């Protein structure tokens, strides 16, 4: 259970904005390592070929090897056990084939293009697949983006693609192997190396800086549009919808910032995410405890403080080697679902997409491994109260991975150390050595969102 802690609202220094404003690209060595991880798992699972689906929202397993997503089209990566590969791309992405990170032959399929674009002889996917080098000597794995428990013959990719593949490979050969990429037990993508960690830290820190900047800009009369501009940064791709909302949300189904202006006592929700991590904050536009009690009586004591205790528990009990189901049960004992109303997994893996998969669910046999990049993410829902959130990103790293980061990315290591010192000296949180903060605002929560002097802290 860990030691008893007390949550105290204290005056603290604000964390530093520490995104490096410069992207770390994935090296050729990393791409080769990724390819090897996938090919090894294909061999272990007796797959003669693997077919990875992509579209804009579900392109990350494709991007893992190819380096790009097909933007507004669909695409397939066909990978054979011998390493030979074909990219099947639409009209507007076929020109990208030479830019792929792995060596792959490009083949055009106009059917993957936008509605009413020229089709010609390339509108028959089965015909395109017939001319594609697909090794059907053994099973053919299909990779989508969902993990469907116990369903080896169901697929979460468009039926017209499944149907064409059945025609070419034979229905009995096709098997759902999405878990080979993203399964929390042994998916190729669920652990990362030092280069990948540096690559993803850029996005995690960018989201963190953006949310800190947005919080610092909260003043009565500011509009959601103005604060939204602080959240979307550097022209980078958002992998979830950016949230900047004051007061009641979803009016007329709207998800996006409007010219609605902040009033004292409003609910506030801020969220932004980039490749590598999401940051969020939610609470109230107030300046002190009295004002907070005036808009949501008992909110601080009944919602915010237990949430922060659970946040501290999560950070200080996450360990390499722990079984996901055991962590889930222990967390649920400490912060009971029945009382606090959280209903999703208590935390999950993150990568190019915000939610990759999670080892934390009832009965999970997945073991927490070094190289797992985690989103601290559990959301209480308590009757009569607003919610609260302070999502952020951490990396689990053993001595070998820590040494690789120190050696290859010394500036990143300094940022990690200074974040750790901030957590210890300002917030009273002693992170375990294997938990590396990937963002400067990890665990930084202002209970009075119009007052930047105070934050929640831990007293042991």
């Amino acid at each position: 259970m860990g030691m008893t802690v007390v949550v105290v609202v204290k005056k603290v220094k604000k964390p530093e904005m520490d995104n490096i404003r410069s992207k770390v690209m994935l090296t050729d060595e990393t791409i080769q390592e990724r390819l090897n991880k996938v090919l090894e798992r294909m061999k272990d699972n007796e797959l003669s070929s693997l077919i990875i689906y992509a579209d804009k929202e579900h392109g990350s397993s494709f991007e893992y090897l190819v380096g790009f997503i097909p933007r507004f089209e669909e695409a397939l990566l066909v990978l054979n056990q011998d390493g030979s590969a074909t990219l099947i791309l639409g009209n507007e992405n076929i020109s990208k084939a030479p830019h792929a990170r792995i060596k792959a032959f490009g083949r055009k399929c106009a059917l993957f293009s936008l509605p009413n674009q020229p089709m010609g002889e390339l509108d028959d996917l089965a015909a395109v697949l017939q001319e594609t080098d697909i090794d059907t000597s053994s099973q053919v794995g299909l990779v989508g983006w969902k993990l469907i428990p116990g369903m080896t013959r169901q697929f979460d990719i468009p039926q017209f693609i499944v149907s064409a593949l059945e025609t070419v490979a034979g229905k009995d050969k096709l098997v759902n192997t999405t878990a080979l990429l993203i399964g929390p037990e042994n998916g190729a993508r669920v652990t990362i190396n030092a280069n990948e960690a540096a690559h993803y830290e850029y996005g995690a820190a960018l989201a963190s800086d953006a949310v800190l900047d947005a919080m610092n800009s909260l003043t009565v009369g500011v509009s959601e549009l103005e604060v939204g501009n602080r959240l979307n940064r550097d022209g980078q791709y958002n992998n979830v919808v950016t949230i900047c909302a004051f007061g009641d949300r979803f009016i007329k189904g709207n998800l996006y910032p409007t010219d609605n202006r902040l009033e004292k006592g409003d609910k506030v929700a801020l969220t932004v995410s980039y490749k590598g991590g999401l940051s969020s904050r939610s609470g109230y536009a107030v300046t002190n405890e009295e004002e907070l009690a005036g808009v949501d009586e008992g909110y601080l004591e009944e919602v915010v403080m237990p949430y922060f205790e659970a946040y501290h528990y999560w950070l200080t009990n996450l360990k390499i080697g722990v079984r996901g189901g055991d962590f889930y049960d222990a967390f649920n004992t400490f912060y009971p679902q029945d009382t606090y109303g959280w209903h999703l997994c208590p935390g999950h893996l993150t990568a190019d997409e915000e939610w990759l998969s999670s080892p934390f669910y009832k009965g999970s046999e997945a073991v927490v491994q070094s190289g797992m990049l985690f989103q601290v993410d559990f959301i209480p829902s308590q009757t009569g109260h607003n919610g609260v959130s302070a999502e952020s990103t951490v990396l689990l790293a053993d001595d070998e991975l820590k040494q690789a980061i120190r050696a290859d990315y010394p500036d990143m290591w300094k940022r990690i150390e200074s974040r750790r010192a901030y957590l210890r000296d300002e917030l009273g949180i002693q992170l375990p050595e294997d938990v590396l903060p990937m963002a400067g605002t990890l665990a930084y929560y202002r209970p009075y969102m119009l007052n930047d002097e105070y934050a929640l802290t831990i007293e042991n």
Side-chain angles (χ1 to χ4, degrees):
M1 286 290 291
M3 66 182 81
T4 307
V5 299
V6 178
V7 178
V8 181
V9 181
K10 270 174 45 178
K11 274 194 176 184
V12 303
K13 280 194 313 200
K14 287 186 274 200
E16 298 286 325
M17 292 193 193
D18 64 3
N19 170 269
I20 53 171
R21 307 310 298 274
S22 163
K23 296 180 75 166
V24 176
M25 305 308 278
L26 297 171
T27 63
D28 292 346
E29 291 76 16
T30 288
I31 299 298
Q32 187 61 49
E33 186 181 316
R34 288 178 167 191
L35 179 59
N36 293 343
K37 283 165 85 171
V38 173
L39 291 172
E40 280 163 20
R41 284 161 177 76
M42 285 173 64
K43 197 172 179 183
D44 292 344
N45 287 273
E46 297 180 344
L47 301 174
S48 50
S49 60
L50 191 70
I51 298 175
I52 302 177
Y53 171 78
D55 60 30
K56 179 173 174 284
E57 291 297 320
H58 313 112
S60 298
S61 287
F62 178 94
E63 185 178 13
Y64 184 68
L65 297 175
V66 177
F68 57 83
I69 59 168
R71 304 177 299 165
F72 38 79
E73 298 183 331
E74 294 103 1
L76 294 176
L77 166 62
V78 177
L79 179 65
N80 294 318
Q81 180 59 73
D82 64 4
S84 61
T86 305
L87 290 172
I88 303 178
L89 300 163
N91 288 345
E92 295 190 64
N93 280 288
I94 189 65
S95 62
K96 311 286 177 302
H99 301 285
R101 296 298 304 267
I102 62 169
K103 191 178 175 201
F105 178 76
R107 189 173 285 284
K108 185 155 90 165
C109 176
L111 194 57
F112 286 170
S113 311
L114 294 171
N116 298 122
Q117 285 195 356
M119 292 289 175
E121 74 285 0
L122 296 168
D123 59 353
D124 185 347
L125 178 56
V128 173
L129 290 169
Q130 291 282 11
E131 295 186 4
T132 299
D133 177 20
I134 305 174
D135 184 348
T136 57
S137 60
S138 189
Q139 287 191 308
V140 176
L142 265 61
V143 175
W145 69 280
K146 276 194 188 302
L147 295 170
I148 307 174
M151 300 294 186
T152 56
R153 302 285 179 183
Q154 280 192 330
F155 308 100
D156 63 322
I157 65 178
Q159 176 58 31
F160 79 93
I161 295 176
V162 176
S163 182
L165 285 166
E166 285 174 350
T167 302
V168 172
K171 191 170 184 177
D172 58 330
K173 289 274 176 83
L174 301 184
V175 57
N176 186 329
T177 54
T178 303
L180 186 144
L181 270 293
I182 69 166
E185 301 79 14
N186 188 37
R189 296 183 56 210
V190 303
T191 59
I192 61 176
N193 66 21
N195 172 232
E196 290 167 306
H199 175 74
Y200 290 129
E201 189 232 8
Y202 167 82
L206 188 67
S208 168
D209 282 6
V211 163
L212 183 57
D213 191 19
M215 283 196 290
N216 290 343
S217 70
L218 292 176
T219 51
V220 171
V222 75
S223 75
E224 293 171 356
L225 295 175
E226 289 170 296
V227 179
N229 267 331
R230 311 241 176 193
L231 292 170
N232 283 350
R233 299 169 88 92
D234 289 5
Q236 297 304 306
Y237 175 70
N238 295 117
N239 57 14
V240 303
V241 169
T242 297
I243 299 167
C244 179
F246 306 149
D248 291 332
R249 291 174 62 184
F250 312 123
I251 295 164
K252 297 191 187 300
N254 176 60
L255 295 177
Y256 313 108
T258 68
D259 54 6
N260 176 37
R261 294 188 178 274
L262 185 65
E263 295 179 15
K264 181 74 79 76
D266 273 350
K267 294 174 185 172
V268 175
L270 305 170
T271 300
V272 70
S273 184
Y274 300 101
K275 292 168 175 292
L278 176 148
S279 280
S280 73
R281 292 298 179 276
S282 62
Y284 283 100
V286 296
T287 57
N288 57 42
E289 189 173 352
E290 189 183 16
E291 288 178 4
L292 186 56
V295 291
D296 192 336
E297 193 178 354
Y299 176 70
L300 186 64
E301 300 77 15
E302 294 164 26
V303 179
V304 174
M305 288 185 164
Y307 171 81
F308 199 67
E309 282 178 45
Y311 198 106
H312 176 259
Y313 177 89
W314 195 100
L315 285 174
T316 53
N317 285 271
L318 184 64
K319 290 181 173 57
I320 294 167
V322 72
R323 203 174 63 98
D326 293 340
F327 186 86
Y328 177 94
D329 291 341
F331 184 80
N332 193 28
T333 301
F334 185 87
Y335 189 64
Q337 207 167 7
D338 292 349
T339 306
Y340 297 104
W342 55 272
H343 59 278
L344 303 179
C345 309
H348 55 85
L349 300 170
T350 190
D352 291 287
E353 62 274 71
E354 192 267 336
W355 187 304
L356 180 72
S357 60
S358 179
F360 302 139
Y361 57 90
K362 192 86 186 146
S364 167
E365 294 289 338
V367 173
V368 173
Q369 301 174 61
S370 172
M372 282 185 162
L373 186 64
F374 279 105
Q375 196 66 38
V376 190
D377 178 5
F378 51 92
I379 304 166
S381 177
Q382 291 164 248
T383 308
H385 290 299
N386 187 23
V388 59
S389 94
E391 286 190 50
S392 195
T393 315
V394 297
L395 174 67
L396 271 248
D398 61 12
D399 289 345
E400 187 182 354
L401 180 53
K402 281 185 287 202
Q403 185 51 46
I405 294 170
R406 268 198 299 265
D408 297 344
Y409 303 98
D411 290 346
M412 176 184 172
W413 186 256
K414 281 183 195 147
R415 288 191 295 280
I416 288 168
E417 290 289 273
S418 79
R419 292 166 190 157
R420 185 185 293 282
Y422 176 84
L423 286 158
R424 182 190 64 232
D425 299 341
E426 292 293 325
L427 305 184
I429 297 173
Q430 186 72 51
L431 278 188
E433 285 300 307
D434 289 349
V435 177
L436 308 188
M438 297 290 272
T441 58
L442 175 69
Y444 175 70
Y445 183 81
R446 295 178 188 170
Y448 324 125
M449 293 189 79
L450 293 181
N451 187 332
D452 66 1
E453 293 190 334
Y454 290 87
L456 298 181
T457 65
I458 294 291
E459 278 192 3
N460 292 308

